[in-house]
Amino acid sequence: QVQLVESGGGLVQPGGSLRLSCAASGNMLSVDIMGWFRQAPGKQRELVARISISGVRNYADFVKGRFTISRDNAENTVYLQMNSLKLEDTAVYYCNLLRVLGTGTRDYWGQGTQVIVSS
């Protein structure tokens, strides 16, 4: 089992920055891909960014150049540095761990942290 705990959300003005953190505990594996999703009111949950244990990153087009995902493998923590925030970035941000095994995949989720971008 894996537990994910996010922190760092809050209220920020357009153009501002926030840094989200997600600490993972439990049985971690080298195949685990960590990432961030978000869900705005009335919308489906969407991928923001992912990072493998080796540091391979993937970003959604709408955050490229503004958000940076990083990972501290020793601390089992993943970060999301969000710069140049826009009103449309307002959402609940969820930490995700994707475990890819030969028998299939499994997703683990954090409880979510609210990000509000407002003037």
Side-chain angles (χ1 to χ4, degrees), residues 47 49 69 89:
L47 173 67
I69 190 169
D89 293 320

PDB file of all heavy atoms in Angstrom, residues 47 49 69 89:
ATOM      1  N   LEU A  47      -4.496  15.180 -16.490  1.00  0.00           N
ATOM      2  CA  LEU A  47      -3.074  15.076 -16.168  1.00  0.00           C
ATOM      3  C   LEU A  47      -2.405  16.438 -16.313  1.00  0.00           C
ATOM      4  O   LEU A  47      -2.613  17.138 -17.299  1.00  0.00           O
ATOM      5  CB  LEU A  47      -2.401  14.073 -17.101  1.00  0.00           C
ATOM      6  CG  LEU A  47      -0.889  13.959 -17.000  1.00  0.00           C
ATOM      7  CD1 LEU A  47      -0.477  13.376 -15.656  1.00  0.00           C
ATOM      8  CD2 LEU A  47      -0.342  13.117 -18.145  1.00  0.00           C
ATOM      9  N   ALA A  49       1.257  16.750 -15.019  1.00  0.00           N
ATOM     10  CA  ALA A  49       2.645  16.378 -15.269  1.00  0.00           C
ATOM     11  C   ALA A  49       2.954  15.057 -14.580  1.00  0.00           C
ATOM     12  O   ALA A  49       2.331  14.721 -13.561  1.00  0.00           O
ATOM     13  CB  ALA A  49       3.596  17.461 -14.771  1.00  0.00           C
ATOM     14  N   ILE A  69       7.876  19.863 -12.764  1.00  0.00           N
ATOM     15  CA  ILE A  69       7.744  18.752 -11.831  1.00  0.00           C
ATOM     16  C   ILE A  69       9.136  18.236 -11.495  1.00  0.00           C
ATOM     17  O   ILE A  69      10.014  18.178 -12.356  1.00  0.00           O
ATOM     18  CB  ILE A  69       6.853  17.631 -12.412  1.00  0.00           C
ATOM     19  CG1 ILE A  69       6.527  16.596 -11.329  1.00  0.00           C
ATOM     20  CG2 ILE A  69       7.493  16.978 -13.631  1.00  0.00           C
ATOM     21  CD1 ILE A  69       5.438  15.603 -11.756  1.00  0.00           C
ATOM     22  N   ASP A  89      -6.068  27.937 -14.030  1.00  0.00           N
ATOM     23  CA  ASP A  89      -5.338  26.924 -13.274  1.00  0.00           C
ATOM     24  C   ASP A  89      -6.036  26.591 -11.960  1.00  0.00           C
ATOM     25  O   ASP A  89      -5.605  25.675 -11.243  1.00  0.00           O
ATOM     26  CB  ASP A  89      -3.912  27.396 -12.976  1.00  0.00           C
ATOM     27  CG  ASP A  89      -3.066  27.506 -14.231  1.00  0.00           C
ATOM     28  OD1 ASP A  89      -3.171  26.628 -15.109  1.00  0.00           O
ATOM     29  OD2 ASP A  89      -2.298  28.485 -14.338  1.00  0.00           O
TER      30      ASP A  89
END
